[in-house]
Amino acid sequence: MIGVLVALTGPEETDVVRRLDAPGSGTRVVRRCADVPEVLAAAVAGLGELAVLAADLPGVDRPAVTGLRAAGVDCILVAAPEELERCAALGATEVVTSTDALVAAVLDRTVRGRGSGGAPDGHGTGDAPSAAPPGGGTVHATGARARERPDPEPDGAVGTEVGTPGRASPPPVDSPLAVPDVRPPGRLVAVWGPPGAPGRTTVAVSLAAELALLGRSALLVDADTEAPSVTQTLGLLDDSSAVAAVARHASHGRLDAPTLLSLCPRVEPGMRVLTGLTRADRWRELPAAALDVLWEVAREIADVTVVDLGPGLDEAAGADQTYGPRRHQAATSALGAADVVVVVGSGEPVGMRRLVMALGQLTEAGVQPPERVVVVNRLRASAAGPAPDEAVQEALARFGGVTDAVIVPDDRPATDRALLQGRTLAEVAPSSAARLALEQLARRLAGESRPRPRARFGLLRMARSR
Ligand SMILES: Nc1ncnc2c1ncn2[C@@H]1O[C@H](COP(=O)(O)OP(=O)(O)O)[C@@H](O)[C@H]1O
Ligand SMILES: [Mg+2]
């Protein structure tokens, strides 16, 4: 017997409930809900295994569907035909356009059993397995949205910064971010690190700028929900939050490449920026379920997406997990999706201790990126001893198991100049020691150089080669 949570609008609700409750149907309506919060509460309480929702009910969005799936409840949406495509991007197991199709889809599950239904993953990209054979008015949500090519003539695009994505017109020469016909998915680099301002934003901004200078299309995303600062660092206006706007589009199944391009202006040739939250208390506007979509779409429009994150990290989901939004959900989402996690620590005793603890925290939180790079920033003999490189490498090897940390020297004059002018290190201090170290790291991420065995040798080599 499948327990069904029902939240439908309109007169058909009674008819659907009657048919699902009919003797021998194999289903039972366990709760007729008035709104989405009631459905979520019932799901978390373990009352049902399947929710059927009217797509036009307020609050039916990707985070809600993800929340249901995290609670082990599959979801079927009933949508107007013109909403079918949008709703298919919300991550539901199925989307149907009529009550007959709805009842058929639910009853079909009793025949096949739950084994073939959408398994909750709680943190996926919404790629639910299809759950019923194709039928009239039914769409199986298979995550097709992320693989769709952008509309050649985006009608939702705003602003003048947009390239002209699409097949009809070739990308302009100065617009490496314009969407070509075929491109391999871009990489996602998440820049994270412990509290204490070790230089996460400086590293993230520099990496994006250097990657653009290396000819890669780079998208810099400010997803720091504690102290976002990319706008100030680059001297941009911060009167609105583009990342929140993008997350809203994603929550409602409306984020595609042209829309993303329209919201991230180009600040340098080859480098776009998605500005961050204007206030930390808006963190709820960046739900993981929406950001998961952002990373996918970002891979479509940029060779490399660099994400600047705050220091917070949620504990791994455990038995005491609540189903509400988690404070550091943005970081969890980015770190979980990243191809490379850059962990930035500060090269003095307090910073090093925090860095070692942060590395342990990452492991405990279950973050296991394909590649991890540890950066020791702001290294200086006055705070780390007469042989600072050796001291930090030894400490990291001993306490953090890290043998290949990248060293970025303390370079106050250069970083101050960059901050003061709202420009990048490459622009204001191209031969500064900090810039050269970050340029080298960008080359490594771009696959243009081999990782250095020990950072100090690399720095010497770099200095000689300039
Ligand atoms: N290599 C460096 N040398 C000197 N100062 C630096 C360096 N990297 C960053 N800073 C400075 O440290 C401060 C904090 O950097 P920021 O990138 O905003 O940290 P976070 O994002 O970790 O909070 C800024 O004033 C920045 O200019
Ligand atoms: Mg920062």
Side-chain angles (χ1 to χ4, degrees):
M1 182 72 74
I2 295 180
V4 186
L5 307 168
V6 175
L8 297 172
T9 48
E12 322 70 81
E13 195 254 9
T14 316
D15 178 47
V16 170
V17 171
R18 186 183 52 75
R19 290 162 72 183
L20 294 183
D21 269 349
S25 67
T27 61
R28 195 164 67 85
V29 175
V30 290
R31 176 71 60 94
R32 294 166 79 166
C33 305
D35 52 24
V36 171
E38 191 179 351
V39 181
L40 280 165
V44 170
L47 292 188
E49 297 155 281
L50 176 68
V52 296
L53 305 178
D56 61 355
L57 210 58
V60 172
D61 56 17
R62 198 173 166 89
V65 172
T66 306
L68 285 172
R69 295 179 67 202
V73 172
D74 289 348
C75 180
I76 301 181
L77 297 177
V78 189
E82 64 274 17
E83 288 277 80
L84 200 58
E85 197 180 339
R86 180 184 76 79
C87 290
L90 297 183
T93 312
E94 276 178 71
V95 185
V96 298
T97 55
S98 70
T99 48
D100 283 346
L102 170 65
V103 172
V106 176
L107 297 184
D108 185 62
R109 297 170 69 85
T110 65
V111 178
R112 292 176 301 109
R114 273 182 54 79
S116 56
D121 61 13
H123 183 66
T125 56
D127 290 6
S130 64
T138 301
V139 151
H140 301 279
T142 56
R145 181 214 51 70
R147 289 185 287 276
E148 281 167 11
R149 299 309 306 164
D151 189 341
E153 290 179 88
D155 54 10
V158 292
T160 52
E161 267 296 325
V162 198
T164 7
R167 296 185 172 89
S169 50
V173 175
D174 71 335
S175 176
L177 278 176
V179 181
D181 283 339
V182 181
R183 68 179 303 149
R187 299 181 89 204
L188 189 70
V189 177
V191 181
W192 180 80
R200 292 175 304 266
T201 301
T202 306
V203 170
V205 167
S206 300
L207 286 180
E210 298 295 347
L211 285 161
L213 287 172
L214 290 170
R216 307 298 192 278
S217 56
L219 170 63
L220 174 65
V221 179
D222 189 347
D224 183 340
T225 58
E226 293 169 81
S229 66
V230 165
T231 45
Q232 291 97 321
T233 305
L234 283 174
L236 305 171
L237 284 176
D238 68 347
D239 51 349
S240 67
S241 166
V243 75
V246 161
R248 272 195 300 280
H249 280 284
S251 288
H252 295 112
R254 293 199 174 95
L255 185 65
D256 55 13
T259 307
L260 179 56
L261 281 165
S262 74
L263 287 164
C264 52
R266 194 163 41 229
V267 296
E268 302 283 340
M271 175 175 166
R272 287 179 182 264
V273 173
L274 197 60
T275 59
L277 296 176
T278 50
R279 293 193 322 261
D281 62 5
R282 294 179 62 184
W283 63 269
R284 286 180 187 79
E285 294 181 40
L286 301 186
L291 293 185
D292 290 344
V293 178
L294 166 58
W295 314 135
E296 285 179 37
V297 181
R299 290 180 197 277
E300 292 178 41
I301 69 157
D303 293 329
V304 189
T305 299
V306 181
V307 190
D308 182 24
L309 296 168
L313 198 62
D314 290 322
E315 287 169 20
D320 59 345
Q321 183 189 358
T322 56
Y323 292 101
R326 306 185 87 200
R327 178 62 184 88
H328 305 299
Q329 55 188 347
T332 305
S333 168
L335 292 167
D339 302 293
V340 186
V341 170
V342 178
V343 186
V344 183
S346 187
E348 28 74 23
V350 175
M352 290 300 291
R353 182 177 157 75
R354 287 179 177 162
L355 175 58
V356 169
M357 285 169 65
L359 292 170
Q361 236 186 313
L362 271 188
T363 309
E364 277 165 29
V367 177
Q368 289 177 320
E371 187 181 351
R372 187 194 66 180
V373 179
V374 174
V375 173
V376 177
N377 187 30
R378 311 191 60 175
L379 187 66
R380 53 203 186 275
S382 55
D389 279 26
E390 250 158 53
V392 299
Q393 296 283 13
E394 270 172 34
L396 277 177
R398 190 157 162 213
F399 299 110
V402 177
T403 54
D404 56 355
V406 171
I407 304 293
V408 179
D410 188 76
D411 198 338
R412 202 68 190 157
T415 51
D416 277 354
R417 208 177 317 149
L419 269 187
L420 203 60
Q421 298 185 25
R423 296 166 74 194
T424 62
L425 280 174
E427 289 173 303
V428 302
S431 52
S432 66
R435 187 265 160 148
L436 295 178
L438 290 164
E439 182 199 24
Q440 183 72 7
L441 176 57
R443 283 187 188 280
R444 171 174 157 185
L445 295 181
E448 289 200 358
S449 74
R450 291 179 166 279
R452 289 165 293 158
R454 300 280 287 196
R456 59 183 183 279
F457 301 138
L459 283 175
L460 288 174
R461 194 172 57 230
M462 272 191 309
R464 277 199 297 270
S465 69
R466 303 293 299 185

